[in-house]
Amino acid sequence: MKFKCTTASLAGRLARFIVKLGRGMGRSFPGYLFLRIGGFDCLRELSKRSKIGNILITGTNGKTTTTKMLCLLLKKDSSVSCNFDSNTVNAVATGLLGGKAEFGIFEYGIRTAKYSMPDTVCKYVDPIGVIYTTISREHTMVAGEKNPFREYFKAKRLLSAPMKKGFIICNADDPRTAFIGMEKEKDVQVAYYGLEVGLEDETPLSAPVHCPICEEKLEYSKRYLNHRGIYRCKCGFSRPEPHVKLTRLSKKDKKWEIEISSETCNYTSQKRISSKFKLEVPNFGIHNLYNFLCASTAYITFTPHPENIKETIIKTAQELEKFTLPPGRFEIFKLGDKTVGIGQGDNGDALKANLQVHPSDEMTLIYTTPDKGEDEIFQDHLRVIKSAKPMKIHVFPGRESTSAARNYYKTIKEYFDASFHPISNKEMDKKIDEILGIIDESSTESVMVSGCGPEHLFWNKLKSKFKSTFI
Ligand SMILES: [Zn+2]
């Protein structure tokens, strides 16, 4: 490494060490310092520390879970450095300053191109893999500025746009991630994953889905989960054939029995992969089946030991029983006869995934709203709520604006028996106590608390207080 980069790397690693000592100090600071001293050219040098290469994982929902699953799979065959919750180039540099490994695996959240600089990250980190989970509408306001879906989608595309080698892994059933793959087929290899099972999502879409090429409304012959399914457009755009498929899905005792079938290529060994085997996974929601299939596809693509594929995937699936959910995620509890589900559902797609695992008959919904200027998110939520038909809705402000929450409440009141609880996040303890009171007093068999929140903090606090009070 050049002298400048060595100095930058030493300073960054020292900062990483200090940050580790003092909890709560900015995790991005070491990377920031490194980039200030060394600049982007040193980032390129630093990214070569991962012997086989770096992998970036992005999408609207499922990033963290997929990253965790992929780490669990790959570390059986190789050394991995896993990084979660990064959404700036500084955070990625901080991750790279950590331990040397064969693979650097980075969850990369992208809200806007300006803030996350996805093309810069791709150019200098030079990944061997970019993985897309699923893309839907979220964060329509970022730092007080409007962030239209078009821009948001473009920012996600930019993370793989500069790639000239390696693999892009895309969900074939999601027209947006599939489109990203198709666009890049001329430059790199693309591995698509998808379902091929007798499953049908009969509830309406959380938002209309338009063709990424001509913007006409897409036609679905089948939907597996919300906008993921078999689709086509009059212009010729249609779902690509997946290389890795989930070809069987049945309930067995308290588990899913699935079959994964793959016809693809392994990047590391340059071998053709053809495999088909059955395995059991925990009885989790369809969105997690997608996450597991996505992680498995990435594992099949990158493992330096393709001869282990079947054994490793089967073994990892067994470990998923005690797999801890990422913080803030939707969890279901039993409280006497009541079923109580608590966790974030920041966008229509996520709220729908929660309702897919939570019983909605005779339900009380405690709904935390989006912010001011996020009407699109609210409309997506409302579509999902309408199809669930809760008996009673308690509306709380989920993000900053209480007056925006009041307006959303007024709309909800036109359709449902609803009440408004204007408690802001500044009084989080009061808000949590009020929610726990509603759960306790509700007479319905099912209670669900979901919607937008200040990231994981609120949901974690709510879940732990719920458990310490009632369980
Ligand atoms: Zn079209």
Side-chain angles (χ1 to χ4, degrees), residues 228-285:
R228 305 164 197 77
I230 317 283
Y231 49 83
R232 63 167 53 252
C233 176
K234 289 189 194 87
C235 76
F237 173 73
S238 68
R239 178 216 192 221
E241 177 66 19
H243 300 92
V244 181
K245 300 184 238 190
L246 204 143
T247 42
R248 203 185 282 256
L249 174 68
S250 55
K251 280 259 165 76
K252 192 185 166 194
D253 303 321
K254 285 192 159 180
K255 291 186 162 221
W256 288 113
E257 189 177 63
I258 61 172
E259 182 179 70
I260 294 178
S261 151
S262 49
E263 286 293 336
T264 184
C265 189
N266 176 272
Y267 168 83
T268 313
S269 69
Q270 294 294 318
K271 279 186 187 151
R272 293 282 322 156
I273 304 291
S274 174
S275 68
K276 190 179 203 168
F277 49 87
K278 278 188 198 156
L279 64 152
E280 287 179 355
V281 293
N283 186 7
F284 45 38

Side-chain angles (χ1 to χ4, degrees), residues 203 330-342 351-366 384-385 387-392 444-450:
T203 58
F330 191 71
E331 253 184 288
I332 294 174
F333 306 92
K334 276 279 173 199
L335 180 64
D337 294 337
K338 263 184 237 178
T339 306
V340 182
I342 305 174
L351 188 65
K352 199 169 196 295
N354 295 348
L355 271 162
Q356 197 255 326
V357 291
H358 185 83
S360 59
D361 291 345
E362 291 239 354
M363 181 172 76
T364 300
L365 175 66
I366 300 168
V384 175
I385 294 170
S387 72
K389 302 185 188 74
M391 297 181 71
K392 167 88 194 175
T444 54
E445 282 171 25
S446 154
V447 184
M448 176 162 156
V449 196
S450 194

Side-chain angles (χ1 to χ4, degrees), residues 124-138:
Y124 292 98
V125 172
D126 197 20
I128 55 166
V130 170
I131 299 172
Y132 290 95
T133 56
T134 179
I135 297 176
S136 56
R137 205 145 67 169
E138 68 157 2

Side-chain angles (χ1 to χ4, degrees), residues 211-216 218 233-237:
C211 172
I213 295 175
C214 72
E215 304 205 341
E216 281 294 307
L218 280 184
C233 176
K234 289 189 194 87
C235 76
F237 173 73

